[in-house]
Amino acid sequence: MAEEKYIKIADDYQGYPLDMFCIPKHYEQDLQHVLIPSGLIDDRIERLARDIMRDFSHEAIVGLCVLKGGYKFFTDLLDKLKALNRNSEVSVPMAVDFIRLKSYRNDISTGNIEVIGGDNLANLEGKNVLVVEDIIDTGGTMTQLLALLKEVKPKSVRVASLLVKRTSRSVGYRPDYVGFEVPDKFVVGYALDFNEYFRDLSHICVINENGMSKYSVKR
Ligand code: IMP
């Protein structure tokens, strides 16, 4: 595997003021700043697609989308892979599969994942699987998912995560493809949610105290 490549966003990075971008009115009071504008996300995904194509060297891929947070990254990554397939001499056949996991309540990991829907994992036996996830925080979710996948004996498994959080709570897991390494803050937008809110925000933003308390689920 090639050395790990990603865009590192520093801890003290203040991003962009909200009023420099178009933010839905209903979230204007709930965010600190824009951390990664959607245009930059798009450009980074284009390059990840190229790296993935190179590594799979013509072997068929099954893209496994981890719902719900991974859906935007999954569809955008797939679009870029399809564009490469359309425009190059060699192409890679692709299929898609979906899995839905639940592990979070408010901004605290509950430590255990639960598969609450999606395709039958047994279909992945003997396949080259590309797991597509939105964010690796502690790495607990991905470690558990990879253990589940191993049981169905895929030919290979690689993981693409748009974001990896730099956190002391990490279990040490690192994905094969990473878009951005981000500070240890709760981020929303581009399908990343806080209790199901903010999926309808295009840019990746840092949530503020107001947003946290407004959208918290009472325990
Ligand atoms: P982990 O098991 O701690 O790595 O957590 C992974 C899951 O937690 C991700 O798939 C997300 O659903 C969720 N998560 C972790 N950090 C964030 C965040 O900053 N924003 C939104 N979701 C997050």
Side-chain angles (χ1 to χ4, degrees), residues 182-196:
V182 296
D184 193 2
K185 294 178 180 156
F186 205 81
V187 292
V188 292
Y190 192 75
L192 286 121
D193 73 311
F194 180 72
N195 294 328
E196 298 300 328

Side-chain angles (χ1 to χ4, degrees), residues 17-177:
L18 297 176
D19 59 1
M20 294 292 127
F21 291 93
C22 295
I23 304 289
K25 263 259 165 303
H26 52 276
Y27 292 139
E28 272 178 357
Q29 308 304 316
D30 309 326
L31 302 166
Q32 249 172 45
H33 53 255
V34 174
L35 190 71
I36 317 174
S38 63
L40 180 55
I41 300 171
D42 188 69
D43 290 331
R44 180 72 188 117
I45 294 175
E46 187 177 17
R47 180 55 201 247
L48 288 177
R50 198 165 108 182
D51 294 347
I52 289 166
M53 244 355 171
R54 177 202 59 208
D55 292 350
F56 277 85
S57 52
H58 327 316
E59 288 202 46
I61 308 176
V62 181
L64 179 65
C65 173
V66 184
L67 295 169
K68 296 180 184 174
Y71 93 87
K72 268 296 285 171
F73 179 36
F74 186 73
T75 51
D76 290 346
L77 182 64
L78 226 70
D79 281 349
K80 305 288 184 202
L81 288 167
K82 275 160 40 191
L84 289 172
N85 262 345
R86 282 197 300 274
N87 295 306
S88 60
E89 292 297 319
V90 285
S91 62
V92 175
M94 286 183 327
V96 295
D97 248 329
F98 298 87
I99 187 169
R100 181 144 182 226
L101 306 174
K102 201 150 185 73
S103 74
Y104 258 64
R105 210 201 208 180
N106 292 338
D107 59 338
I108 316 283
S109 171
T110 55
N112 259 312
I113 63 162
E114 204 187 325
V115 178
I116 57 168
D119 293 306
N120 186 353
L121 288 183
N123 298 336
L124 300 173
E125 185 178 348
K127 307 273 174 63
N128 293 303
V129 180
L130 177 70
V131 182
V132 181
E133 172 68 301
D134 52 355
I135 184 165
I136 305 288
D137 183 1
T138 62
T141 303
M142 192 49 68
T143 311
Q144 291 179 63
L145 175 58
L146 290 175
L148 281 179
L149 283 176
K150 208 171 159 199
E151 288 173 16
V152 302
K153 299 189 172 54
K155 182 173 177 198
S156 70
V157 180
R158 287 190 183 145
V159 177
S161 185
L162 181 64
L163 308 177
V164 170
K165 234 184 242 189
R166 213 165 29 252
T167 170
S168 55
R169 292 171 287 107
S170 169
V171 298
Y173 170 76
R174 298 294 291 194
D176 304 277
Y177 305 97

